[in-house]
Amino acid sequence: MEKILEIKNLTLNYYTSAGKMKAVEKVSIGFEPAKITAIIGESGSGKSTLVKAILQILPPNAEITPESEILFKDKNLLQLDKEALRRFRWREVSMVFQNAQSGLNPTLTIRDQFVDTYLAHYGGSPKDAIGKAEKLLNLVKLPATTVLSAYPHQLSGGMKQRVIIALALLLDPEFVILDEPTTALDMLTQAFIFDLLEDIHKQMQIPMILITHDISLAAKIAHAIGVMYAGKIIEAGEIEEVFTRSIHPYTRGLIKAMPSLKGDISSYSPIAGDPPDLFHKPSGCLFHPRCKYAKPLCRETQPELIEISTGHLVACHYGGEVFGD
Amino acid sequence: MEEKFLVTEIIVRVNNVTIEFCREGKRFKAVEDVSFSIKQGEILTLIGESGSGKSTIGKAIIGINKPSSGEVYYKEENIFSPSFHWTIEKRALVQIILQDPYASFNPLRTIFQQLADPLLHHKQCKASDVKREVAKLLEMVTLTPPEYFMEKYPFQLSGGQLQRVSIARSTILKPKLIIADEPVSAVDASLKLSILELMKKLNQSSNVSFLYITHDLATARYFTGNGRILVMYRGRIVEEGLVEKIVKNPLHPYLKALISAIPVPDPKEAKKKREINIKDTEEKEMPELTATSCNFLSRCVYSKEICTTMLPQLVEVEPVHRVACHLVKKEERIE
């Protein structure tokens, strides 16, 4: 399958006062056109860093190693100059940031924020920008006239998140990144936002990346999934394949640790232990200290991500074997 | 003596509590006529969206929010009565775990200092034993080896680890009730269950009651087990019952909508089209509440004439299952 966006061998380090931290380590993953791919993982797993690398909106202490490549329609994004990047951002790939509460400028009206974004990345006249904004606000089911003249604090969390989604679609991007679009929102609001995203995707067929730590949200909307742990992709594939035939003990643990309204509550079980300290990553397989199946080999060698069946990738030494439960 | 024993079974009783706040120059009721009681060893869950008043009640129980009418009783004493005095013993009775652990610890002091202070101040142990006691607390919440965590500052721990420290801290004074106000909503999905399980174990081992405040019905179902759940909507309790029963057979239109909105961790099931029968209006667009109509009116898709003229009261439809909705009739219930 052809890929619209491809990350190859991406390694990204942060330099901090406590030393060098490998936030993303040799990650390769491709994204197909017209599909939604979920990247799931806990905080510190590198999922947000990964997508920030695509737009290159990383903090100054981040360093991408020279062998890394991010290909979007055959151009390497890591080699774009400042001006090319400015034209690329938002027009080709846009992003819905996490935390709607701080994603908007509190001192500008929603109208100004639409106009500013339009002029900065596209040009044209403010009138065009407002016309486009009105259309998009209707698309996200907001009353355009009242919302455009409002300041962010006059809108509720759910409304702000809708504004941010409309803003991400302002320049007809070819790719949209959703970074935890519903954290801190209520369940009903979350459900409506996800219905909206589903509708938008159906209408426009825009490929999307959904970053989340909630595996149920991935199940709801995504076609493909990549599971990250401590800076590495440890399992990836079609969503149904990964859910029904998950292999990596971490993925299996995540699915079991997700409380829902279905099933016996005694069938849930938490994942033991804590996420690893990224400054002192464990030897061998990064998950081995928390893995109940770990064997001596897991402590010594890091497993490679290998294709176990068509399109289903797993990084586990014992991936081919079926675990006891 | 025996009589007294029976009475003390109820630890905290909230009686017809109404709490008002001022916003943009107008008074509004954050909590309206809410009553419930918590028994020794019970897990009670308060669920609702933001602004429903669930945290406001939690704060009323520890004496922070003063009700404009109604009472909060610790055993038989009204904590808002002028004759009530907050003694150390009474403060110790109810403890709270807050949502954001980073905001509920002093960032400049180590974990050891922050756990040792209350132990010493409340004379829970001798100064020479304090290190051992802190180690015990950390071990209880599976932060091992404890010596490693004692010397850390809050920012050096992950959200899940720090939340476990706040659970440990809440047990220092051996409270009868712990209010857990959204304890896992800032914690990663993979760690939520382990934190809830920790609190469950605490409940079983020391018989401490929990008031679990949350907006997440799935974690509520896991944590509440066979306990009761109270569903709040805009300041009022709209439904109350045993958690398993309520999830299988919700009666109030709000709870029905909420249940249909919860994602299922199964891609086939989750992608099926589902109806959420509620008006998709945001909080900011909602009309003011009146005393003569249902609080849920502006979002209800089933509303009838009576809903605009009368506030529904909480009525029992079957044992331990109460609902405040005009459209739920007893006879419909039985079929």
Side-chain angles (χ1 to χ4, degrees):
Chain A
M1 189 75 192
E2 202 194 320
K3 309 271 193 270
I4 177 165
L5 175 70
E6 209 167 356
I7 295 174
K8 281 186 180 165
N9 236 339
L10 178 72
T11 300
L12 198 154
N13 302 316
Y14 284 120
Y15 288 89
T16 71
S17 54
K20 185 169 111 175
M21 184 184 103
K22 273 192 183 171
V24 174
E25 214 180 321
K26 286 192 200 144
V27 164
S28 298
I29 185 171
F31 302 93
E32 291 173 19
K35 283 204 171 162
I36 302 178
T37 306
I39 306 263
I40 64 164
E42 47 205 5
S43 15
S45 63
K47 55 191 194 308
S48 282
T49 303
L50 184 75
V51 291
K52 281 185 187 148
I54 298 172
L55 280 177
Q56 291 178 58
I57 43 171
L58 295 155
N61 65 340
E63 173 216 54
I64 297 177
T65 58
E67 73 274 13
S68 313
E69 279 183 301
I70 301 178
L71 303 171
F72 183 74
K73 298 195 301 182
D74 298 325
K75 67 181 163 208
N76 188 352
L77 299 181
L78 299 176
Q79 279 156 10
L80 295 183
D81 61 26
K82 230 178 161 183
E83 181 54 27
L85 261 179
R86 193 175 67 81
R87 271 180 284 125
F88 156 79
R89 286 181 191 140
W90 235 251
R91 282 171 72 171
E92 293 184 75
V93 178
S94 70
M95 186 160 170
V96 172
F97 291 94
Q98 78 172 281
N99 198 353
Q101 315 306 322
S102 55
L104 294 165
N105 184 333
T107 64
L108 292 177
T109 60
I110 303 299
R111 180 184 292 111
D112 289 344
Q113 313 205 23
F114 271 97
V115 172
D116 280 1
T117 311
Y118 198 80
L119 299 187
H121 296 280
Y122 186 76
S125 72
K127 217 176 146 190
D128 298 343
I130 293 166
K132 191 76 197 287
E134 278 173 351
K135 257 191 227 145
L136 288 168
L137 289 172
N138 286 330
L139 180 76
V140 298
K141 295 177 187 154
L142 286 176
T145 27
T146 38
V147 169
L148 277 175
S149 46
Y151 285 92
H153 76 268
Q154 294 171 306
L155 306 174
S156 70
M159 290 166 97
K160 270 186 263 191
Q161 195 60 62
R162 281 164 202 253
V163 168
I164 288 175
I165 292 170
L167 207 50
L169 298 172
L170 185 64
L171 301 178
D172 302 311
E174 292 167 59
F175 202 100
V176 176
I177 297 166
L178 310 161
D179 188 2
E180 308 239 16
T182 55
T183 23
L185 294 180
D186 281 311
M187 283 291 162
L188 279 163
T189 316
Q190 170 176 288
F192 286 125
I193 299 265
F194 268 86
D195 283 357
L196 184 71
L197 289 170
E198 236 178 341
D199 282 351
I200 290 171
H201 181 259
K202 266 193 193 124
Q203 272 179 42
M204 307 185 176
Q205 295 292 312
I206 307 179
M208 299 184 184
I209 297 178
L210 170 71
I211 303 287
T212 180
H213 64 194
D214 186 339
I215 202 162
S216 325
L217 292 176
K220 168 102 191 81
I221 195 167
H223 308 101
I225 187 169
V227 183
M228 282 191 83
Y229 187 79
K232 291 192 82 91
I233 300 243
I234 52 107
E235 187 155 9
E238 291 285 313
I239 190 126
E240 276 191 32
E241 167 76 17
V242 170
F243 265 79
T244 49
R245 278 178 290 277
S246 56
I247 285 168
H248 199 285
Y250 179 65
T251 318
R252 293 161 71 96
L254 269 186
I255 294 171
K256 272 200 164 170
M258 199 61 221
S260 78
L261 297 184
K262 295 247 162 70
D264 191 353
I265 51 171
S266 59
S267 68
Y268 304 130
S269 62
I271 303 177
D274 283 299
D277 178 352
L278 294 175
F279 291 102
H280 310 98
K281 285 194 187 176
S283 63
C285 173
L286 299 171
F287 187 62
H288 89 256
R290 294 171 79 182
C291 182
K292 56 179 168 181
Y293 308 104
K295 293 184 181 154
L297 176 63
C298 307
R299 278 181 276 279
E300 286 153 20
T301 347
Q302 201 168 69
E304 292 292 321
L305 192 65
I306 48 164
E307 192 161 16
I308 217 137
S309 59
T310 324
H312 189 167
L313 305 163
V314 182
C316 174
H317 289 305
Y318 298 95
E321 296 169 27
V322 180
F323 296 113
D325 56 353
Chain B
M1 211 45 205
E2 258 179 50
E3 227 179 284
K4 191 142 196 187
F5 185 71
L6 281 174
V7 180
T8 49
E9 248 230 291
I10 287 178
I11 294 175
V12 164
R13 188 156 65 88
V14 173
N15 191 27
N16 299 104
V17 162
T18 296
I19 301 169
E20 288 178 316
F21 290 121
C22 239
R23 185 168 62 186
E24 286 158 18
K26 273 188 228 137
R27 285 175 87 78
F28 78 100
K29 288 176 178 158
V31 171
E32 222 183 324
D33 199 17
V34 164
S35 302
F36 59 86
S37 55
I38 303 168
K39 290 197 191 93
Q40 171 97 56
E42 185 181 10
I43 296 179
L44 182 73
T45 294
L46 211 51
I47 192 167
E49 55 189 14
S50 40
S52 62
K54 54 191 194 306
S55 292
T56 308
I57 295 187
K59 285 183 186 154
I61 294 176
I62 53 169
I64 294 177
N65 289 336
K66 193 173 188 299
S68 46
S69 68
E71 307 88 39
V72 174
Y73 294 96
Y74 282 10
K75 299 187 176 170
E76 307 95 284
E77 275 182 289
N78 177 7
I79 62 166
F80 292 104
S81 122
S83 60
F84 183 83
H85 291 293
W86 282 108
T87 57
I88 283 180
E89 294 77 50
K90 281 166 191 163
R91 281 279 180 215
L93 214 56
V94 181
Q95 295 292 308
I96 193 162
I97 300 167
L98 296 160
Q99 176 174 355
D100 181 359
Y102 293 101
S104 54
F105 280 93
N106 184 337
L108 302 176
R109 312 199 69 213
T110 63
I111 299 302
F112 172 76
Q113 290 172 319
Q114 304 200 47
L115 291 178
D117 279 354
L119 279 169
L120 294 174
H121 181 81
H122 291 284
K123 301 191 176 67
Q124 297 294 308
C125 68
K126 278 190 243 149
S128 52
D129 288 344
V130 73
K131 199 153 187 179
R132 218 180 54 211
E133 284 299 312
V134 170
K136 254 198 233 162
L137 283 167
L138 290 173
E139 271 167 1
M140 179 189 79
V141 293
T142 66
L143 292 173
T144 46
E147 295 74 26
Y148 171 82
F149 289 97
M150 278 183 203
E151 300 315 317
K152 297 279 176 203
Y153 288 90
F155 77 92
Q156 292 172 307
L157 299 188
S158 73
Q161 289 171 336
L162 198 57
Q163 196 60 297
R164 275 182 258 163
V165 180
S166 64
I167 292 175
R169 182 176 60 179
S170 74
T171 64
I172 287 176
L173 298 183
K174 305 192 174 58
K176 294 269 192 249
L177 169 68
I178 294 176
I179 299 173
D181 191 350
E182 302 263 19
V184 295
S185 55
V187 172
D188 267 311
S190 60
L191 296 174
K192 277 183 181 163
L193 219 58
S194 61
I195 301 234
L196 292 174
E197 205 177 69
L198 199 61
M199 300 199 311
K200 244 180 166 170
K201 274 194 191 136
L202 210 59
N203 166 261
Q204 281 154 9
S205 62
S206 59
N207 207 25
V208 55
S209 314
F210 273 91
L211 176 64
Y212 179 52
I213 299 176
T214 183
H215 69 269
D216 180 354
L217 194 53
T219 60
R221 175 173 175 250
Y222 178 77
F223 182 63
T224 319
N226 40 26
R228 278 182 305 148
I229 186 161
L230 307 176
V231 185
M232 290 192 73
Y233 187 78
R234 294 189 82 183
R236 285 186 162 268
I237 294 177
V238 295
E239 190 157 351
E240 174 194 335
L242 297 172
V243 68
E244 286 296 338
K245 226 169 189 174
I246 261 189
V247 167
K248 278 198 194 93
N249 183 22
L251 297 174
H252 197 278
Y254 169 67
L255 185 60
K256 282 186 176 170
L258 187 65
I259 287 176
S260 60
I262 290 168
V264 212
D266 170 1
K268 244 188 207 146
E269 189 86 8
K271 285 196 177 67
K272 281 184 195 154
K273 199 79 199 136
R274 58 172 180 13
E275 272 322 301
I276 303 175
N277 287 317
I278 189 170
K279 283 185 197 156
D280 183 7
T281 34
E282 293 284 348
E283 187 205 346
K284 294 259 171 178
E285 303 162 4
M286 277 191 227
E288 266 180 68
L289 296 178
T290 62
T292 53
S293 67
C294 176
N295 280 17
F296 188 59
L297 183 64
S298 60
R299 296 185 79 184
C300 190
V301 294
Y302 307 104
S303 63
K304 291 192 174 144
E305 170 101 50
I306 183 168
C307 308
T308 62
T309 55
M310 215 171 108
L311 185 72
Q313 295 299 319
L314 211 52
V315 216
E316 188 158 272
V317 281
E318 60 189 332
V320 234
H321 194 170
R322 303 200 295 163
V323 63
C325 176
H326 292 303
L327 306 174
V328 178
K329 298 227 174 61
K330 226 173 179 170
E331 37 298 4
E332 281 169 28
R333 193 89 325 296
I334 291 155
E335 34 170 288

